[in-house]
Amino acid sequence: MSSTKEFNWEAFDTKGFGEGYTKEQRAQMEAVYTGTLSEITEKEVIKGVVVGVNDKDVIINIGFKSDGLVPLSEFRDIAGIKPGDEVEVYIEEQENALGQLILSRKKARIVRAWQDIEGALENDSVIEGLVKRRTKGGLIVDIYGVEAFLPGSQIDVKPIRDFDVYVGKKMEVKVVKINHANDNVVVSHKILIEKDLEKQKAEILNNLEKGQVLEGVIKNMTNFGVFIDLGGVDGLLHITDISWGRINHPEEVLQLDQKVQIVVLDFDDDKRRISLGMKQLTSHPWDSLASSLEIGSRVQGKIVNVADYGAFLELAPGVEGLIHVSEMSWSQHLRNPADFVKVGDEIEAVVLTLDKDDRKMSLGIKQLTEDPWTKQDMSTKYAVGSKHKGVVRNLTNFGLFLELEEGIDGLVHVSDLSWTKKIKHPSEFVKVGDELNVAVLELDVDNRRLALGHKQLEENPWDTFETVFPVGSVHKCTVNSKNDKGAVLELPYGLEGFATVKNLEKEDGSPVEIGESLDFKVTEFSKDDKRIVLSHTATFKEEAKAPKKAAAPAGKKKEESVEMPAQAEKSTLGDIGALAELKEKMEGKK
């Protein structure tokens, strides 16, 4: 123990320890002893010196009247703690029940850590921490022994997909928030990057100009393009500016975090929207087309798109030609292009038009086969009277178009469908997709016209009907329908007839009703117009007016004296045989 002034111990003559002191001498000794001790306050951090180390404790002198003990376990972070080392400790109690000074290095570190953290927040200073583990939404960072939360959004300026790569690594952060109630600390690493990027961003924007080639990193991908980080500034590389060829999604040719060379295409006055291009760094593939490519050349390629009007054939990345649907088949009936090709098909085509300046090309695939109308056997194969089978492709009010083979279509007029039925619309007879047998009525190769008929496959039955339904003949008919003008009648053999309103009156004066089957007399027959007009009224009115026949002479039978009806006179055995044959044919068709 040292003092600035010498103390004369000999001045005190004592008989024993602690005896013989005057009051003044005692006060003087206490003053000297007290001057060697420090005044300490509980619940504060103070520096102390290690004076001893044993298996369990570390003995620390803080300048108090007694030394304090700190468990050795609290010094695990210090390798080889030894006497003379200076450490910070927390004063829990100056003197416990046993008279011992209670110290804690662990609490000292916590208190000091919070003081440093608060100081870092106030001074906006950068501190270094160790990433301990990953947690929901971010990372846990150890700063000064305190666990702080680093949100995932504050790790970097670009989205982070894998937090695990940071675990176990040191990272510089800034304290952005302290919640003392929950002892919660929030830190950010992104804020440090942003400050560095601000300078870089300002430099890029000041020097930005169209045509400038830059290097960037892909930070995000969408179906319409990719966003590229140019060093604090983001630009959009649209999907159409990635490649001269057609791509469906940027991920087909690019990857996240990939470094790419791009060129500035455009930007607004504030330079907030920057349009970038990649394909513009290479020459257009149209410029490298072979000079031998011309109209009529055969080319090979892959179908890259199919639309309602046609398909696009890619000859090389960025070089496409349109195959219009009308150039896919010699057929006159336009069909869906998907019936001929699909995306991914590799096919051959013929160049129809070529404009290298406007970079446009039209192609055809039907030209790979011969036009069926120009074949040498066309005139003989489809000669008038020849019979064929085709597929109904289209219906119109006046008839139907029948495809006999690809590229060869013919018209069947509605009047050439049936000899007996009155067909108002072809849909009453057939539907699209049906097969139909026909005979060729007319062929015009120069104008590509082919007239066909279905009814011509059979003989005209009206030649026979003329003898079966002569004017004046009576037949049993059924009323099918009625209107203001008259009624449609069903005649034998599937024929239809017509009776006007005044010819529908029955003998009792009532009108003929729908569904009734009565005798009707033929009043008009037209083979050319295929028309039969009848009358029920005529069956009884004309009989009433007819003169009575004279009695038969004596010696003759009654049957011989009766006149044979006019219709019976014309119904010869030949006619009946022809009619029976016609009926068999018609029933066979059914």
Side-chain angles (χ1 to χ4, degrees):
M1 182 185 307
S2 62
S3 177
T4 56
K5 82 179 169 177
E6 296 291 334
F7 183 77
N8 186 9
W9 291 98
E10 296 178 355
F12 297 89
D13 184 13
T14 62
K15 295 179 180 180
F17 182 77
E19 297 180 0
Y21 293 106
T22 65
K23 188 180 289 187
E24 290 79 8
Q25 289 174 332
R26 184 179 183 87
Q28 186 180 6
M29 287 183 65
E30 288 179 354
V32 173
Y33 180 74
T34 305
T36 65
L37 302 175
S38 302
E39 291 187 4
I40 62 174
T41 305
E42 291 183 357
K43 314 302 181 188
E44 73 173 0
V45 177
I46 191 171
K47 287 187 177 181
V49 178
V50 177
V51 295
V53 180
N54 57 37
D55 293 340
K56 294 182 179 180
D57 300 309
V58 176
I59 305 167
I60 298 177
N61 179 13
I62 62 171
F64 194 52
K65 62 183 178 180
S66 61
D67 293 334
L69 296 178
V70 179
L72 182 61
S73 61
E74 294 189 14
F75 292 89
R76 290 174 180 171
D77 61 311
I78 299 178
I81 186 74
K82 63 186 183 299
D85 290 347
E86 190 176 74
V87 294
E88 286 188 331
V89 291
Y90 179 80
I91 303 172
E92 294 197 67
E93 292 184 77
Q94 291 185 14
E95 190 174 359
N96 65 1
L98 300 175
Q100 291 180 336
L101 174 65
I102 307 301
L103 304 175
S104 173
R105 181 171 180 268
K106 180 180 179 180
K107 290 185 178 180
R109 293 182 65 194
I110 293 175
V111 172
R112 182 63 69 193
W114 278 100
Q115 290 174 349
D116 291 343
I117 290 172
E118 290 175 350
L121 178 62
E122 292 176 4
N123 300 324
D124 194 30
S125 56
V126 179
I127 53 180
E128 187 177 75
L130 176 67
V131 179
K132 295 181 67 176
R133 65 182 183 275
R134 176 179 178 174
T135 188
K136 184 179 180 180
L139 300 170
I140 298 298
V141 182
D142 185 332
I143 52 173
Y144 303 127
V146 176
E147 291 188 346
F149 177 59
L150 174 60
S153 61
Q154 294 299 314
I155 297 176
D156 206 336
V157 291
K158 60 184 179 180
I160 302 298
R161 288 170 290 279
D162 184 10
F163 293 171
D164 292 332
V165 297
Y166 296 96
V167 176
K169 296 181 179 179
K170 291 183 178 181
M171 181 183 291
E172 288 186 333
V173 294
K174 274 191 175 184
V175 179
V176 294
K177 184 179 180 182
I178 298 176
N179 188 340
H180 292 283
N182 300 323
D183 290 339
N184 186 21
V185 181
V186 180
V187 296
S188 171
H189 178 66
K190 176 182 176 181
I191 195 171
L192 300 177
I193 301 175
E194 287 177 336
K195 285 191 175 181
D196 294 337
L197 290 178
E198 282 298 324
K199 296 180 182 178
Q200 190 174 349
K201 180 178 179 180
E203 183 178 351
I204 292 174
L205 291 177
N206 290 334
N207 298 325
L208 196 66
E209 58 183 23
K210 294 180 181 180
Q212 184 179 10
V213 178
L214 301 172
E215 184 179 75
V217 178
I218 298 174
K219 63 181 294 186
N220 192 21
M221 302 182 75
T222 67
N223 58 353
F224 58 84
V226 298
F227 289 94
I228 297 181
D229 182 3
L230 304 175
V233 182
D234 289 347
L236 174 62
L237 173 61
H238 197 270
I239 188 171
T240 57
D241 291 311
I242 295 176
S243 168
W244 291 114
R246 189 187 293 262
I247 60 176
N248 297 316
H249 196 280
E251 64 186 7
E252 295 178 12
V253 292
L254 299 173
Q255 296 177 347
L256 286 171
D257 301 326
Q258 180 182 348
K259 284 186 178 182
V260 292
Q261 292 283 331
I262 37 80
V263 60
V264 178
L265 301 180
D266 198 7
F267 54 82
D268 58 17
D269 294 336
D270 296 332
K271 298 179 182 178
R272 293 180 180 177
R273 295 182 180 178
I274 304 174
S275 298
L276 306 173
M278 182 181 290
K279 70 181 184 181
Q280 289 79 4
L281 295 175
T282 60
S283 60
H284 200 291
W286 270 88
D287 299 332
S288 57
L289 282 179
S291 57
S292 59
L293 186 68
E294 58 186 13
I295 294 175
S297 298
R298 290 195 174 195
V299 293
Q300 197 111 12
K302 181 175 71 174
I303 299 294
V304 292
N305 188 31
V306 178
D308 293 338
Y309 52 86
F312 289 90
L313 186 70
E314 184 183 62
L315 310 185
V319 180
E320 296 179 5
L322 172 63
I323 307 175
H324 194 270
V325 64
S326 62
E327 302 299 340
M328 293 182 175
S329 169
W330 290 109
S331 175
Q332 299 299 311
H333 303 289
L334 294 183
R335 288 150 66 186
N336 193 321
D339 294 339
F340 300 96
V341 294
K342 63 180 183 296
V343 174
D345 286 351
E346 294 189 1
I347 63 171
E348 189 178 22
V350 176
V351 178
L352 303 181
T353 64
L354 180 63
D355 189 337
K356 292 186 178 181
D357 294 333
D358 290 338
R359 294 169 178 167
K360 291 181 180 180
M361 183 190 313
S362 63
L363 307 170
I365 54 179
K366 72 180 184 182
Q367 288 78 10
L368 297 172
T369 59
E370 185 181 358
D371 183 354
W373 281 94
T374 61
K375 291 182 178 179
Q376 294 181 351
D377 64 343
M378 181 67 187
S379 298
T380 55
K381 183 176 181 179
Y382 295 104
V384 174
S386 60
K387 297 178 181 180
H388 306 273
K389 179 186 287 186
V391 179
V392 178
R393 291 298 184 193
N394 192 24
L395 302 179
T396 67
N397 291 330
F398 54 84
L400 61 90
F401 287 94
L402 197 72
E403 186 177 54
L404 303 180
E405 63 175 273
E406 184 179 337
I408 301 296
D409 296 338
L411 172 64
V412 182
H413 195 272
V414 67
S415 62
D416 290 317
L417 289 173
S418 174
W419 288 112
T420 58
K421 294 182 180 180
K422 290 186 177 180
I423 300 173
K424 296 180 180 179
H425 193 276
S427 59
E428 300 173 12
F429 193 82
V430 292
K431 61 180 182 294
V432 174
D434 285 352
E435 289 188 340
L436 189 68
N437 291 312
V438 292
V440 177
L441 305 181
E442 181 183 346
L443 174 64
D444 186 346
V445 176
D446 294 336
N447 294 312
R448 295 173 180 255
R449 290 178 183 175
L450 191 62
L452 307 171
H454 174 68
K455 71 180 184 181
Q456 285 78 6
L457 295 173
E458 302 172 350
E459 294 182 2
N460 188 351
W462 285 88
D463 293 336
T464 304
F465 292 154
E466 189 175 20
T467 63
V468 177
F469 300 99
V471 174
S473 60
V474 176
H475 307 272
K476 184 73 74 176
C477 304
T478 302
V479 180
N480 280 345
S481 63
K482 292 176 62 177
N483 55 34
D484 295 341
K485 296 181 179 180
V488 177
L489 309 175
E490 181 182 348
L491 281 70
Y493 314 109
L495 291 178
E496 286 185 352
F498 183 77
T500 59
V501 174
K502 66 179 182 179
N503 288 301
L504 294 174
E505 183 181 349
K506 293 193 285 189
E507 193 168 4
D508 60 2
S510 62
V512 175
E513 298 297 339
I514 296 175
E516 286 191 276
S517 294
L518 302 170
D519 286 339
F520 280 80
K521 180 178 287 188
V522 178
T523 60
E524 182 182 343
F525 180 91
S526 174
K527 181 176 70 173
D528 296 334
D529 296 332
K530 300 178 182 60
R531 185 175 71 250
I532 303 175
V533 180
L534 305 99
S535 171
H536 172 67
T537 306
T539 59
F540 59 84
K541 283 190 175 181
E542 291 187 7
E543 287 180 3
K545 294 179 181 178
K548 294 182 180 180
K549 299 296 179 181
K556 286 192 177 182
K557 294 182 180 180
K558 185 177 180 181
E559 293 82 9
E560 295 177 356
S561 64
V562 180
E563 278 190 13
M564 184 177 290
Q567 65 269 29
E569 292 178 358
K570 294 188 178 181
S571 297
T572 64
L573 291 175
D575 295 337
I576 294 174
L579 187 59
E581 183 181 351
L582 176 62
K583 182 177 181 181
E584 288 178 2
K585 285 184 180 181
M586 294 179 68
E587 288 177 348
K589 290 293 180 181
K590 294 179 182 179

